[in-house]
């Protein structure tokens, strides 16, 4: 199924395609930018970087929401999701957590990856997002066990919007079950 990718970085696009191929997840990709409409024939939208200008939700994100398409924000794409649905900019702090996460019980994320609870994620981040930055109508579905900062958010209700801090498109080995995030976004 076609997936729209919003990225300003060709390396991100290549990493996404490579990861899908490595995991043998069949998908086609359409590259879009801030001013593009979301292609109606695509099943979902992946955000890998900043997409906001003056706290307005980009056309492609608005279109995807209106059409009830899935949205996945990865790394700084998580910040874009939080900024898109908050009235205040994200407070990025220097990372002071550890390399373990807690996946919230009963969350869509837990359902997607097939488990909840504490998990060694082994990621080192340059920045973190405090829990008080969770937008209304979203819940933190994963947080760092060392300091409680946000590692994933998801929309409540009918929209399927998920943002994760983890570099799931990189060559870094991620925990078992995280590949299901890519299967989920490509369905």
């Amino acid at each position: 199924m076609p997936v729209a990718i919003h990225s300003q970085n060709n390396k991100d696009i290549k990493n996404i395609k490579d990861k899908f191929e490595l995991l043998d997840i069949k998908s086609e990709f359409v590259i879009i930018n801030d001013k593009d409409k979301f292609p109606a024939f695509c099943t979902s939208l992946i955000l890998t970087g900043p997409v906001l200008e003056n706290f307005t939700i980009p056309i492609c994100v608005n279109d995807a929401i209106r059409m009830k398409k899935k949205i996945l924000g990865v790394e700084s794409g998580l910040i874009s999701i939080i900024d898109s649905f908050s009235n205040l900019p994200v407070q990025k702090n220097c990372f002071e957590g550890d390399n373990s996460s807690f996946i919230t019980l009963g969350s869509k994320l837990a359902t997607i990856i097939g488990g909840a609870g504490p998990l060694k994620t082994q990621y080192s981040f340059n920045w973190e997002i405090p829990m008080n930055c969770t937008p209304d109508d979203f819940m933190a579905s994963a947080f760092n066990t060392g300091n409680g900062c946000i590692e994933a958010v998801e929309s409540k209700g009918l929209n399927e919007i998920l943002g994760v801090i983890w570099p799931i498109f990189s060559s870094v080995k991620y925990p078992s079950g995280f590949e299901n995030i890519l299967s989920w976004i490509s369905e």
Side-chain angles (χ1 to χ4, degrees), residues 15-78:
N15 289 343
I16 291 168
K17 290 178 178 180
D18 288 349
K19 188 61 87 164
F20 274 79
E21 187 175 308
L22 176 71
L23 296 170
D24 200 27
I25 300 172
K26 305 290 185 233
S27 197
E28 298 172 33
F29 301 98
V30 176
I31 312 307
I32 59 175
N33 66 45
D34 288 354
K35 298 189 180 10
D36 288 340
K37 290 188 172 282
F38 180 83
F41 61 89
C42 289
T43 59
S44 56
L45 173 63
I46 297 174
L47 306 170
T48 64
V51 295
L52 287 179
E53 203 171 285
N54 301 324
F55 295 99
T56 57
I57 299 175
I59 293 168
C60 62
V61 174
N62 264 335
D63 286 349
I65 291 168
R66 184 179 45 76
M67 291 184 235
K68 304 272 188 242
K69 304 293 184 167
K70 296 176 185 174
I71 300 173
L72 172 64
V74 178
E75 295 182 78
S76 58
L78 168 62

Side-chain angles (χ1 to χ4, degrees), residues 11-12 15-16 18-20 22-23 46-49 72-78 95 98-101 120-127 144 150-152 163-175 178-179 181-182:
K11 183 180 176 202
D12 286 347
N15 289 343
I16 291 168
D18 288 349
K19 188 61 87 164
F20 274 79
L22 176 71
L23 296 170
I46 297 174
L47 306 170
T48 64
L72 172 64
V74 178
E75 295 182 78
S76 58
L78 168 62
F95 183 71
D98 61 21
N99 55 7
S100 61
S101 303
K120 287 287 184 196
T121 47
Q122 304 299 325
Y123 295 124
S124 297
F125 304 111
N126 296 325
W127 47 269
N144 187 276
I150 295 172
E151 292 196 2
V164 299
I165 196 172
W166 309 302
I168 60 176
F169 296 121
S170 75
S171 59
V172 175
K173 174 129 173 62
Y174 46 70
F178 277 41
E179 69 278 0
I181 296 171
L182 305 187

